[in-house]
Amino acid sequence: MSGVTTTEARRTTGWVVIETLRGYGVDTVFGIPGTHNLELYRPLSALGIRPVTTRHEQGAGYAADGWSLQTGLPGVVITTSGPGLLNALSAAGTAYCESRPMIIVSPGPARGAEFADVGTLHETKDQLSAASAIVEWGRRVQSADEAVAAVHDAFELFATKRPRPVYIEIPLDLLEEVADIPAAALAPRTFSPVNAPDAERVAAAARLLAEAGEPVILAGGGSRGASEELSALAERLSAPVVTTLNAKGVLDEHHPLAIGSSLRLAAARSRAQQADVLLVVGSKLGEAELWADRLEAQGAVIRIDLLDSQIEKNQSAEVGIVADASQALAAILTALEAHPVDAAAAIARRERAEASVAETRELVRAESADLSAENTGLAESIAEALPERAIVATDSSQIAYWGLLNTLRVSEPNSTPYMATYATLGYGLPAALGARIAAPERPAFVVTGDGALMFSMQEFITVIEQRLDVTVIVVDNGGYAEIKQNEADAGIAPVGVDLVQPDWVAVAAAFGGAGHRATNGAELATAVDAAVAGGGLQLIHIDQATFALDAEEVQR
């Protein structure tokens, strides 16, 4: 047994990289210690950084993403070389598709040992190329100075461009090498968005919006840092707001102008399509968010995005403003001051807009029920049972995209960690534990399907080990129900989709948590209250085949 009780402070390259991250405010890292990455773990305690050891590197990546959504900082993932890194790449793919900041740091082959193919531990043909194919950029550094510079460059990317994951590979010999770098070189830097809003384009956008009869705002993930400005603009224009799933809550969904995050449903999507002026903020308008090939807006389109390459993507625009969303929206609000509004006309317009939004919400609910009455009704029971300000992470499960994400109203952005484009399974549980660490004042929930939960259930023990309060609501439909339907639609008898289920309540207990069963809405509400009061790992099992929906919920 080791007799070491204190950590020797060795200022290695690993140390200065972690110290640089700490300077930017990163106080939590996710990963698994390994033979090759020890120098990245050496400084954590001394620097006041919390290490979260998940039971799979994919879980580390998803937990880092959940943490990042609450803090606004990049999630940091430390892996070992070879399999550790490759296990984390699905999480990197998620962060790339959803435009979220993430830094993955891993050791690589020693300098001069690249492509040696001699059978060293964790040997991988070309892990740098593997990671670089997924992330925004991957970099194999050759000195401690380059390693520190890579961290600064990552934060510059996140502050000034579309935030996406990066990978920093440090050769094993360099990682362990003592680094002679002055503290000043590690200090955080300040970065400002490269593009200020173009005054002429802002004026043109303001003119179109001021003259519009039926303006609509479509907010995407790029608007998540601009809630205040977006809300003010919506109220100034009396403009209904529909959001993508990544922007859910950017306008309080209880607001009378908030249609919600149901862009995937025709009733909500048509509001954007039929607007005489549509303002698109920070969205590429992709198929995964629309459930359609293209939006095909009929009116004039204004687009705001950090990147010029996005202005015409999937939808042409009359006016394109390349700038940070909050700056651009603030500039439009200022420009609208040159367009006075008659008070009586403004009141009438607001009343019409609010009435039309209420009608659209009802149409959305009806359409959701037409798609799946079961999932819609169950989602309404879940939404009603959840406590205020809950963070609700989920997976690419039917209960999410056919139910809860259409039904649950949230008041803050990033309240429903999800990945609409990458559409992975196994995301919800680790994302919720990461979110709980970042926002301990908010209740943390996972709502997921049984098939999805099986991808990451090993993270139950991470919840226990980290002393977190996380409640998992697992909706058991017996396997991969949607794929089973896909097979039927294609004329294929069920194959590989009817899954054997564990005793979920017993599973939770085996990990050191508590399990409950709910067979109707009243039992679900009681179980949720008990879970929040009990704390720790809590699991509520719902057998969808036997859950009794309120007749009014099914018919409404």
Side-chain angles (χ1 to χ4, degrees):
M1 294 180 61
S2 172
V4 176
T5 57
T6 59
T7 298
E8 179 186 350
R10 294 182 62 233
R11 199 171 178 75
T12 61
T13 299
W15 186 295
V16 297
V17 164
I18 298 299
E19 188 172 343
T20 306
L21 288 166
R22 186 69 183 93
Y24 281 102
V26 174
D27 62 7
T28 307
V29 297
F30 301 83
I32 300 177
T35 302
H36 289 164
N37 67 10
L38 299 182
E39 291 304 324
L40 294 167
Y41 278 83
R42 180 187 295 275
L44 296 183
S45 178
L47 295 175
I49 296 177
R50 177 179 185 171
V52 179
T53 301
T54 56
R55 296 313 193 261
H56 193 285
E57 288 88 356
Q58 180 172 292
Y62 292 146
D65 187 66
W67 182 89
S68 173
L69 286 170
Q70 301 309 311
T71 63
L73 293 165
V76 174
V77 182
I78 298 175
T79 77
T80 194
S81 53
L85 170 66
L86 298 183
N87 282 344
L89 289 186
S90 188
T94 302
Y96 185 90
C97 284
E98 313 304 336
S99 298
R100 296 174 187 162
M102 178 181 289
I103 299 175
I104 301 176
V105 185
S106 169
R111 288 169 290 189
E114 302 91 336
F115 311 108
D117 193 21
V118 293
T120 56
L121 181 66
H122 297 331
E123 189 169 69
T124 305
K125 179 183 177 183
D126 189 354
Q127 68 178 43
L128 175 63
S129 292
S132 297
I134 304 297
V135 299
E136 180 68 10
W137 56 252
R139 191 175 301 176
R140 178 175 165 86
V141 299
Q142 298 298 320
S143 68
D145 289 311
E146 285 187 17
V148 169
V151 175
H152 290 309
D153 290 349
F155 278 88
E156 182 176 15
L157 166 71
F158 304 145
T160 64
K161 298 180 181 178
R162 189 176 185 176
R164 278 176 154 168
V166 303
Y167 167 61
I168 302 173
E169 179 172 306
I170 308 174
L172 183 59
D173 60 319
L174 173 61
L175 186 67
E176 299 171 347
E177 193 173 85
V178 173
D180 183 18
I181 297 182
L186 313 183
R189 302 171 186 174
T190 301
F191 306 104
S192 300
V194 175
N195 299 306
D198 180 85
E200 290 186 7
R201 296 188 179 196
V202 167
R207 186 165 55 253
L208 280 171
L209 291 167
E211 295 172 355
E214 298 287 341
V216 172
I217 298 173
L218 193 165
S223 70
R224 287 178 300 178
S227 287
E228 183 177 343
E229 294 85 356
L230 189 140
S231 178
L233 183 59
E235 292 181 351
R236 167 65 174 77
L237 299 171
S238 292
V241 177
V242 59
T243 76
T244 67
L245 291 171
N246 276 331
K248 185 174 179 66
V250 71
L251 175 66
D252 184 341
E253 292 185 318
H254 302 90
H255 193 290
L257 291 172
I259 293 173
S261 61
S262 301
L263 189 61
R264 305 168 318 292
L265 302 182
R269 192 168 60 249
S270 65
R271 292 303 304 272
Q273 291 170 323
Q274 295 169 15
D276 59 351
V277 177
L278 176 66
L279 173 60
V280 180
V281 185
S283 175
K284 60 178 173 290
L285 300 176
E287 173 193 355
E289 285 280 14
L290 296 172
W291 283 7
D293 292 339
R294 291 176 64 86
L295 181 64
E296 304 291 359
Q298 298 167 15
V301 177
I302 303 163
R303 296 189 70 168
I304 297 171
D305 206 281
L306 271 174
L307 300 182
D308 182 66
S309 61
Q310 300 297 103
I311 296 299
E312 295 290 328
K313 185 167 287 184
N314 295 321
Q315 171 68 57
S316 59
E318 276 68 25
V319 179
I321 301 173
V322 181
D324 171 76
S326 60
Q327 292 185 358
L329 292 173
I332 290 173
L333 278 164
T334 299
L336 281 169
E337 293 174 3
H339 301 272
V341 179
D342 176 80
I347 292 172
R349 178 172 176 169
R350 179 64 176 267
E351 290 175 348
R352 289 195 305 272
E354 291 182 1
S356 73
V357 167
E359 181 182 358
T360 300
R361 284 177 178 167
E362 287 300 316
L363 292 172
V364 163
R365 197 277 170 190
E367 186 177 349
S368 180
D370 285 344
L371 280 172
S372 176
E374 253 190 344
N375 282 293
T376 299
L378 177 54
E380 288 173 339
S381 293
I382 294 171
E384 186 175 347
L386 291 172
E388 290 186 5
R389 296 198 72 224
I391 296 171
V392 187
T394 188
D395 280 275
S396 188
S397 300
Q398 286 183 319
I399 187 58
Y401 53 78
W402 276 8
L404 194 68
L405 294 171
N406 300 327
T407 302
L408 177 66
R409 294 190 191 182
V410 301
S411 299
E412 303 165 58
N414 303 319
S415 294
T416 51
Y418 185 65
M419 24 67 246
T421 300
Y422 202 66
T424 188
L425 297 179
Y427 174 86
L429 176 57
L433 75 86
R436 177 66 183 186
I437 290 170
E441 75 284 0
R442 299 182 65 182
F445 279 77
V446 184
V447 177
T448 187
D450 55 283
L453 185 55
M454 279 289 192
F455 277 65
S456 59
M457 62 184 291
Q458 67 274 6
E459 305 310 343
F460 283 157
I461 205 66
T462 309
V463 173
I464 295 291
E465 185 172 75
Q466 294 291 323
R467 301 178 182 275
L468 303 175
D469 297 339
V470 175
T471 299
V472 179
I473 300 176
V474 54
V475 177
D476 173 3
N477 62 15
Y480 300 136
E482 182 176 7
I483 308 307
K484 184 175 182 177
Q485 185 60 53
N486 293 160
E487 290 178 346
D489 293 342
I492 302 171
V495 54
V497 290
D498 292 319
L499 306 180
V500 174
Q501 298 295 315
D503 180 335
W504 285 104
V505 170
V507 167
F511 277 95
H516 315 264
R517 290 187 175 88
T519 63
N520 56 51
E523 290 182 2
L524 175 59
T526 299
V528 166
D529 289 345
V532 172
L537 171 66
Q538 299 278 339
L539 182 142
I540 302 170
H541 175 238
I542 295 174
D543 184 337
Q544 195 163 13
T546 60
F547 189 87
L549 292 173
D550 186 289
E552 183 180 339
E553 289 178 335
V554 176
Q555 296 170 6
R556 194 160 56 86

